[in-house]
Amino acid sequence: MLDKLQRRLGLRTDSVIFFTSAALTILFVLTTISLTDQVDSVFTTASDWILKNLGWFYILGVTSFVIFLIWIALSRYGHVRLGGQNTRPEYSNGAWFAMLFAAGIGTILMFWGVAEPISHFAKPPEQGVEPESAHAAERAMAFALYHFGLHTWAIFCLPALAFAYFVYQRGLPFRLSSVLHPLLGDRINGPIGKSVDVTAVVGTLFGVSVSIGLGTLQINSGLNELFGVPENKLVQVVLIAVVTAIATASVMSGLDKGIKILSNINILMAIGLLIFVLLAGPTLFMAKGIVETTGTYVSSVVPLSFWNDTFADSGWQGSWTVFYWAWTITWSPFVGIFIARISKGRTIREFVLGVLALPTAFTVIWFSIFGMGSFDIEMNGSGGLVKAVVDEGDVPGALFAFLENYPAATLVSALSVLIVVIFFTTSSDSAAMVVDMLCERVDDKLPSPTRQRVFWAVTQGVVAGTLLAATGKGGLDALQQVITVIGLPFFVIAFVMMFSLLRALKSDYPELGRNPLTKQLEARGGTAAGPEATAEPEALIDPETPTEPEAPAAGAVKDPVG
């Protein structure tokens, strides 16, 4: 029946995954609009229970991802090249980093670059730290970088590595169920696999919609600062509609190259904003701050990775850290597919260390400049940031309140609004393509109809508008509660993903998994494996030795970014 409906609508997708995901999303929207109070109650109750009883699981989970990824990069498996041992990277290191920036850093840093440090400066998370002191500033930077450094990128890196491995090494489609192939086998095409894929589609929609919602709040705040546009739900829905319309027009026109050029321009604009703040602000103070903040992060990242606010039990961690991890992991299939697509030809070691280290290094620089600039305004300047961001709760307006202290504030704020608009528009555009890929048919290598991507682009906007406008909670509260609940199954899948990836590596590269003494015994016939098991691992990892079957042709895999 579903296949018949699909043909009638002119679609080309896995009908079960597509229609189930669409139905669940539409059901959420209709239920939220018609039963607002009841939906609020359900998500409030579920979110409160998770924060109280499972916050530790979120903390432990992301720290486990970091440990696993660093271990696998430094292990024997780090030499395995994604796409075959003779494959080389399609992009230079510089171009690769620029695309990593576009994938996940830009939107996060624009929203939280000022808001996070100044919030923790005014209200330190830890007991015994005097608010608005030098010690509070130091701890604020430690928490900000903990939230947006290695741990955030580990959440992106784990699914990205799994996607890359199973797509390029085993020729499987870009689906979340593909990473469970060592455990499920061909059952990834059955009910269990399709259930996992539906979870990925719905979770990605909500993750991207939360990002669109946060961006909308920031855009609304910027327009209020510049033109006095009121900050309310009606304006926010209109802004979401505009962003969605632009993204939909991009999908319909097929101007993928244009969007890529626009993204690159946007990145340059963001870096230009960073340089402007550095040069126009207390340059020496910021430069010293970059060095000092790096040391603060290195010395704090391990203890913070296991910190659970056990003794104070203030609830702070639930509204900050757990929200971040839940939001990021729901967004991770989208970013993971993007990163996997641009990383073919890199070894696992290059992949992991690059994805973790490069964005983290840039994050340290960004937060050091904007964070130290914020502290300078409060401690040595006219102040006002704590009052606006913390006392009045204007988190989305933090960047614009910050820029008021710099030359040409109106012009720079207008450019910042433009940067945010482009970031979220291109994210919506690319996410629509990725969600469409998550629904693709295994046996269909033809390009999907444009109407499918248009549907997902519009759906993202509708979900974002529903989360902001059709819930009884305020904007940030509604986004936090929904995403905390939606993120839970993704953490469970992520643990299974680590086990599945390790199992696949051991199966595909058995020689790399044995220690040297075992291999010597086998070579001498001293084990049950006998003389047949004499191949050396070098034969598997030497780039000049074509012992590994070639990965499927690039044309067999759809490109999520055009």
Side-chain angles (χ1 to χ4, degrees):
M1 183 177 69
L2 292 179
D3 288 337
K4 185 177 181 180
L5 177 61
Q6 177 176 240
R7 289 192 295 271
R8 182 173 296 179
L9 295 175
L11 305 177
R12 192 160 49 244
T13 184
D14 186 297
S15 58
V16 174
I17 298 174
F18 180 89
F19 286 112
T20 302
S21 303
L24 289 174
T25 305
I26 293 171
L27 178 64
F28 168 82
V29 171
L30 295 178
T31 304
T32 301
I33 293 174
S34 59
L35 301 172
T36 300
D37 293 338
Q38 290 87 337
V39 171
D40 276 345
S41 177
V42 169
F43 277 104
T44 298
T45 302
S47 176
D48 289 345
W49 186 89
I50 289 172
L51 294 178
K52 180 179 179 180
N53 297 284
L54 293 178
W56 64 269
F57 176 68
Y58 283 67
I59 305 302
L60 177 63
V62 181
T63 299
S64 299
F65 304 163
V66 175
I67 295 171
F68 173 80
L69 288 166
I70 293 175
W71 170 81
I72 205 168
L74 300 179
S75 73
R76 297 181 180 92
Y77 300 117
H79 294 287
V80 174
R81 192 172 293 277
L82 301 169
Q85 295 304 131
N86 295 326
T87 307
R88 290 297 177 268
E90 299 175 4
Y91 304 98
S92 67
N93 290 335
W96 188 52
F97 170 68
M99 287 185 280
L100 287 177
F101 183 98
I105 300 179
T107 53
I108 294 173
L109 299 192
M110 290 294 293
F111 191 91
W112 294 109
V114 173
E116 171 112 5
I118 205 67
S119 295
H120 304 333
F121 173 71
K123 293 184 176 181
E126 298 164 308
Q127 291 182 306
V129 178
E130 182 183 350
E132 300 185 40
S133 64
H135 188 203
E138 178 184 314
R139 299 310 297 160
M141 294 305 300
F143 275 95
L145 293 175
Y146 164 54
H147 285 153
F148 297 108
L150 283 174
H151 286 68
T152 283
W153 282 92
I155 296 175
F156 291 148
C157 186
L158 178 60
L161 177 61
F163 278 126
Y165 186 86
F166 288 103
V167 169
Y168 298 136
Q169 304 299 101
R170 294 196 171 186
L172 297 172
F174 270 118
R175 281 196 196 162
L176 187 58
S177 60
S178 294
V179 307
L180 306 180
H181 187 262
L183 306 177
L184 300 178
D186 292 339
R187 285 180 295 170
I188 62 172
N189 298 316
I192 298 177
K194 292 185 187 297
S195 298
V196 171
D197 291 326
V198 169
T199 301
V201 172
V202 174
T204 301
L205 281 173
F206 276 87
V208 174
S209 296
V210 167
S211 298
I212 294 172
L214 292 175
T216 300
L217 293 174
Q218 189 173 29
I219 294 167
N220 193 178
S221 180
L223 294 177
N224 175 264
E225 179 73 24
L226 291 169
F227 308 111
V229 175
E231 296 184 72
N232 56 46
K233 292 186 177 182
L234 176 60
V235 173
Q236 290 157 11
V237 169
V238 172
L239 290 173
I240 288 175
V242 171
V243 170
T244 301
I246 297 172
T248 302
S250 169
V251 169
M252 293 179 64
S253 64
L255 296 177
D256 297 329
K257 292 183 179 179
I259 287 295
K260 289 177 182 176
I261 293 173
L262 195 61
S263 297
N264 290 334
I265 293 174
N266 205 35
I267 292 167
L268 293 176
M269 290 173 64
I271 294 175
L273 175 64
L274 181 71
I275 295 173
F276 167 79
V277 171
L278 175 63
L279 297 180
T283 306
L284 179 59
F285 182 70
M286 291 176 177
K288 292 167 65 177
I290 293 174
V291 178
E292 187 167 321
T293 298
T294 301
T296 299
Y297 177 52
V298 171
S299 64
S300 301
V301 66
V302 173
L304 287 181
S305 296
F306 297 93
W307 184 69
N308 269 292
D309 196 21
T310 304
F311 296 104
D313 196 21
S314 63
W316 178 92
Q317 199 169 44
S319 59
W320 286 92
T321 310
V322 175
F323 162 64
Y324 285 148
W325 295 168
W327 167 38
T328 307
I329 204 166
T330 55
W331 204 18
S332 63
F334 159 49
V335 179
I337 286 180
F338 181 89
I339 294 174
R341 180 60 187 85
I342 64 175
S343 302
K344 184 178 181 181
R346 296 187 181 276
T347 65
I348 289 178
R349 182 168 299 161
E350 292 172 342
F351 181 97
V352 171
L353 297 183
V355 173
L356 292 183
L358 292 176
T360 297
F362 189 87
T363 299
V364 170
I365 295 172
W366 184 282
F367 270 96
S368 295
I369 290 175
F370 281 90
M372 299 303 285
S374 301
F375 302 148
D376 181 71
I377 291 171
E378 286 298 315
M379 302 172 78
N380 305 314
S382 59
L385 288 181
V386 169
K387 181 177 184 297
V389 178
V390 181
D391 298 340
E392 299 175 3
D394 187 16
V395 175
L399 175 63
F400 306 108
F402 172 84
L403 292 175
E404 287 180 0
N405 296 272
Y406 283 76
T410 301
L411 175 61
V412 177
S413 294
L415 291 175
S416 298
V417 171
L418 180 61
I419 292 171
V420 175
V421 170
I422 298 174
F423 267 134
F424 283 96
T425 301
T426 53
S427 292
S428 178
D429 181 309
S430 299
M433 298 185 198
V434 169
V435 171
D436 185 40
M437 289 179 62
L438 290 170
C439 297
E440 71 177 0
R441 287 170 52 182
V442 176
D443 58 348
D444 191 353
K445 300 305 179 184
L446 297 175
S448 61
T450 302
R451 68 190 68 182
Q452 292 175 196
R453 298 192 296 277
V454 169
F455 171 79
W456 293 122
V458 173
T459 300
Q460 289 169 179
V462 171
V463 172
T466 302
L467 290 175
L468 280 180
T471 57
K473 296 288 183 181
L476 277 176
D477 289 338
L479 297 178
Q480 287 178 341
Q481 290 186 349
V482 172
I483 212 63
T484 300
V485 177
I486 297 294
L488 182 58
F490 280 83
F491 273 96
V492 177
I493 293 173
F495 276 98
V496 179
M497 191 182 295
M498 289 190 289
F499 178 77
S500 180
L501 180 59
L502 185 57
R503 184 168 178 173
L505 284 165
K506 287 182 177 180
S507 174
D508 295 347
Y509 299 90
E511 292 296 331
L512 294 180
R514 288 195 283 271
N515 61 53
L517 178 59
T518 301
K519 287 182 285 187
Q520 289 177 16
L521 290 172
E522 290 180 353
R524 296 170 183 171
T527 69
E532 292 81 10
T534 58
E536 290 296 321
E538 287 76 17
L540 288 171
I541 63 175
D542 183 358
E544 304 302 324
T545 307
T547 61
E548 181 180 353
E550 288 295 324
V557 180
K558 294 181 182 178
D559 184 349
V561 293

